[in-house]
Amino acid sequence: MKYILAVLLVITSSTLLAQKIAITLDDLPFGYSGGFTDEQKIEAFDKILKTLKKHKVKATLFVTSRNMSEATKVILDKAVAAGHQLGNHTNNHYDLNKVSAEKYIADIDSCQQLTGKWINSNYFRYSMLHRGNTRTKRDSVYSYLKEKGLLIAPVTIDNNEWVYNRGYSLAMKIDDHKNMDKIAREYLYHMKEVTARYQKLSLQLTNREIPQILLLHSNPINADYLGKLLDWYKREGWEFVTLDEAMEDEFYSIKDDYVGPYGFSQLDRIKVSRASN
Ligand SMILES: [Zn+2]
Protein backbone atom coordinates (compact mmCIF):
# COMPACT_ATOMS: atom_id res chain seq x y z
CA MET A 1 0.00 0.00 0.00
CA LYS A 2 2.77 2.36 1.01
CA TYR A 3 4.52 1.55 -2.26
CA ILE A 4 1.37 2.24 -4.31
CA LEU A 5 0.89 5.56 -2.55
CA ALA A 6 4.49 6.51 -3.18
CA VAL A 7 4.15 5.63 -6.88
CA LEU A 8 0.91 7.62 -7.11
CA LEU A 9 2.58 10.58 -5.46
CA VAL A 10 5.44 10.49 -7.93
CA ILE A 11 3.04 10.22 -10.89
CA THR A 12 0.84 13.06 -9.61
CA SER A 13 3.69 15.39 -8.83
CA SER A 14 5.41 14.73 -12.15
CA THR A 15 2.12 15.48 -13.95
CA LEU A 16 1.70 18.68 -11.99
CA LEU A 17 5.28 19.65 -12.64
CA ALA A 18 5.16 18.84 -16.36
CA GLN A 19 6.72 21.76 -18.08
CA LYS A 20 4.96 22.87 -21.22
CA ILE A 21 6.63 23.97 -24.41
CA ALA A 22 5.30 25.07 -27.80
CA ILE A 23 7.51 24.39 -30.81
CA THR A 24 7.77 27.04 -33.52
CA LEU A 25 9.95 27.07 -36.63
CA ASP A 26 10.66 30.17 -38.71
CA ASP A 27 11.80 31.02 -42.24
CA LEU A 28 9.72 28.46 -44.15
CA PRO A 29 9.78 26.94 -46.64
CA PHE A 30 13.47 26.58 -45.77
CA GLY A 31 16.00 28.87 -44.14
CA TYR A 32 19.78 29.18 -44.50
CA SER A 33 21.05 26.05 -46.20
CA GLY A 34 24.32 26.97 -47.96
CA GLY A 35 23.64 26.03 -51.58
CA PHE A 36 21.05 23.29 -51.08
CA THR A 37 18.99 22.52 -54.18
CA ASP A 38 15.20 22.75 -53.97
CA GLU A 39 15.06 18.93 -53.92
CA GLN A 40 17.46 18.82 -50.96
CA LYS A 41 15.39 21.43 -49.11
CA ILE A 42 12.21 19.42 -49.65
CA GLU A 43 13.94 16.23 -48.49
CA ALA A 44 15.33 17.98 -45.40
CA PHE A 45 11.94 19.45 -44.53
CA ASP A 46 10.40 15.98 -44.85
CA LYS A 47 12.76 14.88 -42.07
CA ILE A 48 11.53 17.75 -39.86
CA LEU A 49 7.90 16.74 -40.52
CA LYS A 50 8.69 13.12 -39.74
CA THR A 51 10.31 14.10 -36.43
CA LEU A 52 7.35 16.30 -35.44
CA LYS A 53 4.99 13.45 -36.23
CA LYS A 54 7.05 10.94 -34.24
CA HIS A 55 6.89 13.22 -31.19
CA LYS A 56 3.20 14.05 -31.78
CA VAL A 57 4.03 17.75 -32.00
CA LYS A 58 1.69 20.21 -33.70
CA ALA A 59 3.97 23.13 -34.41
CA THR A 60 3.45 26.68 -35.59
CA LEU A 61 5.54 27.43 -38.67
CA PHE A 62 6.28 30.93 -39.92
CA VAL A 63 6.60 31.63 -43.62
CA THR A 64 9.06 34.11 -45.14
CA SER A 65 7.58 34.32 -48.61
CA ARG A 66 10.79 35.42 -50.38
CA ASN A 67 12.22 31.98 -49.45
CA MET A 68 9.61 30.26 -51.67
CA SER A 69 10.37 28.96 -55.14
CA GLU A 70 7.87 27.27 -57.43
CA ALA A 71 9.33 23.92 -56.34
CA THR A 72 9.51 24.54 -52.59
CA LYS A 73 5.88 25.64 -52.34
CA VAL A 74 5.22 21.93 -51.86
CA ILE A 75 6.81 22.29 -48.39
CA LEU A 76 3.93 24.56 -47.41
CA ASP A 77 1.40 22.07 -48.84
CA LYS A 78 3.00 19.29 -46.79
CA ALA A 79 3.11 21.37 -43.60
CA VAL A 80 -0.60 22.21 -43.85
CA ALA A 81 -1.52 18.62 -44.75
CA ALA A 82 0.36 17.40 -41.66
CA GLY A 83 -1.88 19.58 -39.47
CA HIS A 84 0.59 22.31 -38.52
CA GLN A 85 -0.34 25.94 -38.11
CA LEU A 86 1.23 28.43 -40.54
CA GLY A 87 1.76 32.12 -39.82
CA ASN A 88 3.16 35.26 -41.43
CA HIS A 89 6.89 36.06 -41.04
CA THR A 90 7.03 38.88 -43.66
CA ASN A 91 8.07 38.67 -47.30
CA ASN A 92 11.66 40.00 -47.24
CA HIS A 93 12.64 39.44 -43.60
CA TYR A 94 13.52 43.14 -43.21
CA ASP A 95 15.12 44.45 -40.06
CA LEU A 96 12.60 46.90 -38.57
CA ASN A 97 15.53 48.77 -36.98
CA LYS A 98 16.65 49.66 -40.50
CA VAL A 99 13.45 50.21 -42.51
CA SER A 100 10.45 52.50 -42.01
CA ALA A 101 7.21 51.25 -40.46
CA GLU A 102 5.49 51.84 -43.83
CA LYS A 103 7.97 49.64 -45.70
CA TYR A 104 7.71 46.95 -43.01
CA ILE A 105 3.91 46.98 -43.03
CA ALA A 106 3.87 46.66 -46.84
CA ASP A 107 6.16 43.64 -46.45
CA ILE A 108 3.83 41.94 -43.95
CA ASP A 109 1.03 42.57 -46.41
CA SER A 110 3.05 41.07 -49.31
CA CYS A 111 3.61 37.89 -47.32
CA GLN A 112 -0.12 37.70 -46.61
CA GLN A 113 -0.91 38.18 -50.33
CA LEU A 114 1.64 35.61 -51.52
CA THR A 115 0.94 32.92 -48.94
CA GLY A 116 -2.76 33.40 -48.18
CA LYS A 117 -3.40 29.98 -49.70
CA TRP A 118 -1.42 28.28 -46.92
CA ILE A 119 -1.52 30.61 -43.93
CA ASN A 120 -4.13 29.12 -41.63
CA SER A 121 -3.65 31.17 -38.46
CA ASN A 122 -3.62 34.83 -37.51
CA TYR A 123 -0.16 34.62 -35.96
CA PHE A 124 2.53 37.03 -37.02
CA ARG A 125 6.18 36.78 -36.02
CA TYR A 126 8.57 39.71 -36.39
CA SER A 127 11.67 39.05 -38.48
CA MET A 128 14.70 38.98 -36.10
CA LEU A 129 12.10 39.58 -33.36
CA HIS A 130 12.75 43.31 -33.87
CA ARG A 131 9.60 45.26 -33.01
CA GLY A 132 10.91 48.74 -33.70
CA ASN A 133 13.72 50.86 -32.30
CA THR A 134 11.49 53.91 -31.81
CA ARG A 135 8.14 54.17 -30.07
CA THR A 136 6.47 55.65 -33.18
CA LYS A 137 7.71 52.82 -35.38
CA ARG A 138 6.77 50.14 -32.88
CA ASP A 139 3.30 51.58 -32.36
CA SER A 140 2.61 52.05 -36.11
CA VAL A 141 3.20 48.34 -36.72
CA TYR A 142 1.22 47.39 -33.58
CA SER A 143 -1.77 49.42 -34.89
CA TYR A 144 -1.55 47.78 -38.30
CA LEU A 145 -1.46 44.26 -36.77
CA LYS A 146 -4.45 45.10 -34.59
CA GLU A 147 -6.40 46.48 -37.52
CA LYS A 148 -5.72 43.31 -39.55
CA GLY A 149 -6.49 40.99 -36.63
CA LEU A 150 -2.92 39.64 -36.60
CA LEU A 151 -1.59 38.38 -33.30
CA ILE A 152 2.09 38.68 -32.31
CA ALA A 153 3.65 35.26 -31.75
CA PRO A 154 6.24 35.84 -29.04
CA VAL A 155 9.25 33.68 -28.25
CA THR A 156 10.46 32.89 -24.74
CA ILE A 157 13.34 30.49 -25.44
CA ASP A 158 15.38 32.65 -27.79
CA ASN A 159 18.62 30.93 -28.60
CA ASN A 160 20.51 31.95 -31.77
CA GLU A 161 20.34 28.37 -33.02
CA TRP A 162 20.77 29.76 -36.55
CA VAL A 163 24.44 30.49 -35.74
CA TYR A 164 25.05 26.73 -35.23
CA ASN A 165 23.09 25.99 -38.39
CA ARG A 166 25.33 28.29 -40.41
CA GLY A 167 28.49 26.43 -39.34
CA TYR A 168 26.77 23.08 -39.75
CA SER A 169 25.58 23.90 -43.28
CA LEU A 170 29.02 25.13 -44.33
CA ALA A 171 30.66 21.94 -42.98
CA MET A 172 27.99 19.89 -44.76
CA LYS A 173 28.77 21.60 -48.05
CA ILE A 174 32.36 20.29 -47.93
CA ASP A 175 31.38 16.91 -46.44
CA ASP A 176 33.26 17.64 -43.23
CA HIS A 177 31.43 15.13 -41.05
CA LYS A 178 33.79 15.53 -38.11
CA ASN A 179 32.98 19.22 -37.86
CA MET A 180 29.26 18.61 -38.44
CA ASP A 181 29.19 16.22 -35.46
CA LYS A 182 31.13 18.67 -33.29
CA ILE A 183 28.80 21.58 -34.13
CA ALA A 184 25.72 19.40 -33.57
CA ARG A 185 26.98 18.41 -30.10
CA GLU A 186 27.61 22.06 -29.27
CA TYR A 187 24.16 22.96 -30.60
CA LEU A 188 22.38 20.47 -28.35
CA TYR A 189 24.43 21.53 -25.32
CA HIS A 190 23.64 25.18 -26.03
CA MET A 191 19.91 24.49 -26.29
CA LYS A 192 19.92 22.79 -22.89
CA GLU A 193 21.77 25.73 -21.34
CA VAL A 194 19.48 28.31 -22.86
CA THR A 195 16.35 26.39 -21.82
CA ALA A 196 17.58 26.34 -18.21
CA ARG A 197 18.32 30.07 -18.41
CA TYR A 198 14.74 30.92 -19.44
CA GLN A 199 13.20 28.53 -16.91
CA LYS A 200 15.13 30.44 -14.26
CA LEU A 201 14.05 33.82 -15.63
CA SER A 202 10.43 32.64 -15.68
CA LEU A 203 10.71 31.77 -11.97
CA GLN A 204 12.36 35.10 -11.18
CA LEU A 205 9.72 37.17 -12.96
CA THR A 206 6.53 35.19 -12.31
CA ASN A 207 7.36 32.85 -9.40
CA ARG A 208 6.35 29.92 -11.56
CA GLU A 209 7.33 28.12 -14.73
CA ILE A 210 5.28 29.47 -17.62
CA PRO A 211 4.56 27.46 -20.79
CA GLN A 212 7.60 28.31 -22.90
CA ILE A 213 7.67 29.08 -26.62
CA LEU A 214 10.72 27.74 -28.42
CA LEU A 215 12.09 29.43 -31.54
CA LEU A 216 13.78 27.21 -34.09
CA HIS A 217 14.21 27.46 -37.86
CA SER A 218 13.41 25.27 -40.81
CA ASN A 219 17.03 24.46 -41.64
CA PRO A 220 19.60 21.65 -42.10
CA ILE A 221 20.70 21.32 -38.47
CA ASN A 222 17.08 20.78 -37.40
CA ALA A 223 16.46 18.38 -40.27
CA ASP A 224 19.18 16.24 -38.67
CA TYR A 225 18.96 17.07 -34.94
CA LEU A 226 15.42 18.18 -34.07
CA GLY A 227 14.70 14.56 -33.08
CA LYS A 228 17.56 14.50 -30.57
CA LEU A 229 16.47 17.86 -29.16
CA LEU A 230 12.83 16.77 -28.73
CA ASP A 231 14.00 13.46 -27.18
CA TRP A 232 15.90 15.48 -24.59
CA TYR A 233 12.88 17.68 -23.75
CA LYS A 234 10.76 14.57 -23.37
CA ARG A 235 13.32 12.89 -21.10
CA GLU A 236 13.40 16.00 -18.96
CA GLY A 237 9.62 15.77 -18.49
CA TRP A 238 8.51 18.52 -20.87
CA GLU A 239 5.10 18.27 -22.51
CA PHE A 240 4.67 19.54 -26.06
CA VAL A 241 1.70 21.88 -26.48
CA THR A 242 0.43 24.00 -29.35
CA LEU A 243 1.15 27.71 -29.55
CA ASP A 244 -2.58 28.35 -28.92
CA GLU A 245 -2.41 26.33 -25.70
CA ALA A 246 0.75 28.07 -24.50
CA MET A 247 -0.71 31.50 -25.22
CA GLU A 248 -3.79 30.83 -23.12
CA ASP A 249 -1.53 31.32 -20.12
CA GLU A 250 -2.01 34.71 -18.45
CA PHE A 251 1.72 35.41 -18.82
CA TYR A 252 1.08 36.17 -22.48
CA SER A 253 -1.43 38.91 -21.58
CA ILE A 254 1.18 40.88 -19.63
CA LYS A 255 2.00 44.04 -21.58
CA ASP A 256 5.63 44.94 -22.00
CA ASP A 257 6.76 48.43 -22.86
CA TYR A 258 10.14 47.65 -24.34
CA VAL A 259 11.24 49.95 -27.14
CA GLY A 260 14.71 49.40 -28.54
CA PRO A 261 16.89 47.66 -31.08
CA TYR A 262 17.00 44.20 -29.51
CA GLY A 263 14.95 41.25 -30.66
CA PHE A 264 14.74 39.00 -27.67
CA SER A 265 12.67 36.73 -25.46
CA GLN A 266 9.30 37.92 -24.16
CA LEU A 267 10.74 37.22 -20.71
CA ASP A 268 13.60 39.64 -21.41
CA ARG A 269 11.18 42.23 -22.82
CA ILE A 270 9.24 42.14 -19.55
CA LYS A 271 12.37 42.16 -17.42
CA VAL A 272 13.79 45.18 -19.24
CA SER A 273 10.54 47.13 -19.28
CA ARG A 274 10.02 46.50 -15.53
CA ALA A 275 13.55 47.64 -14.78
CA SER A 276 13.04 50.92 -16.66
CA ASN A 277 9.73 51.75 -14.93
ZN1 LIG B 1 13.21 34.64 -39.38
Side-chain angles (χ1 to χ4, degrees), residues 26-27 89 93 217:
D26 289 8
D27 298 0
H89 190 45
H93 213 273
H217 292 82

Side-chain angles (χ1 to χ4, degrees), residues 118-154:
W118 297 280
I119 287 187
N120 55 7
S121 80
N122 56 357
Y123 286 119
F124 167 71
R125 177 163 286 153
Y126 283 87
S127 31
M128 300 159 195
L129 308 182
H130 290 169
R131 297 196 196 173
N133 51 340
T134 66
R135 190 167 292 274
T136 319
K137 219 189 238 187
R138 183 198 69 174
D139 292 348
S140 304
V141 180
Y142 275 1
S143 304
Y144 167 82
L145 296 175
K146 201 171 172 196
E147 182 196 316
K148 294 287 174 184
L150 292 169
L151 202 62
I152 299 169

Side-chain angles (χ1 to χ4, degrees), residues 43-144:
E43 205 178 301
F45 188 77
D46 280 343
K47 288 205 232 170
I48 292 177
L49 279 185
K50 212 171 147 190
T51 304
L52 293 173
K53 190 177 175 186
K54 186 185 161 206
H55 288 271
K56 299 187 176 66
V57 172
K58 292 289 180 218
T60 303
L61 313 170
F62 289 91
V63 184
T64 304
S65 39
R66 71 146 190 223
N67 289 356
M68 294 191 310
S69 69
E70 243 351 271
T72 58
K73 283 178 181 172
V74 73
I75 286 179
L76 305 183
D77 291 334
K78 289 178 183 217
V80 171
H84 299 293
Q85 210 171 28
L86 268 65
N88 182 325
H89 190 45
T90 77
N91 181 43
N92 282 298
H93 213 273
Y94 289 140
D95 178 351
L96 185 51
N97 291 339
K98 294 181 183 157
V99 299
S100 67
E102 291 70 29
K103 190 167 179 179
Y104 196 80
I105 287 168
D107 205 50
I108 300 172
D109 196 51
S110 296
C111 178
Q112 208 71 22
Q113 300 293 331
L114 292 163
T115 61
K117 188 179 153 194
W118 297 280
I119 287 187
N120 55 7
S121 80
N122 56 357
Y123 286 119
F124 167 71
R125 177 163 286 153
Y126 283 87
S127 31
M128 300 159 195
L129 308 182
H130 290 169
R131 297 196 196 173
N133 51 340
T134 66
R135 190 167 292 274
T136 319
K137 219 189 238 187
R138 183 198 69 174
D139 292 348
S140 304
V141 180
Y142 275 1
S143 304
Y144 167 82

Side-chain angles (χ1 to χ4, degrees), residues 171-203:
M172 196 178 218
K173 207 173 171 182
I174 53 166
D175 271 329
D176 183 350
H177 289 274
K178 204 174 153 197
N179 217 5
M180 284 166 71
D181 291 349
K182 182 174 170 275
I183 294 167
R185 272 198 307 277
E186 287 168 357
Y187 165 55
L188 294 171
Y189 179 79
H190 169 74
M191 294 303 284
K192 293 169 191 177
E193 290 273 299
V194 93
T195 299
R197 189 194 309 162
Y198 285 112
Q199 275 186 290
K200 204 170 146 197
L201 187 53
S202 158
L203 284 170

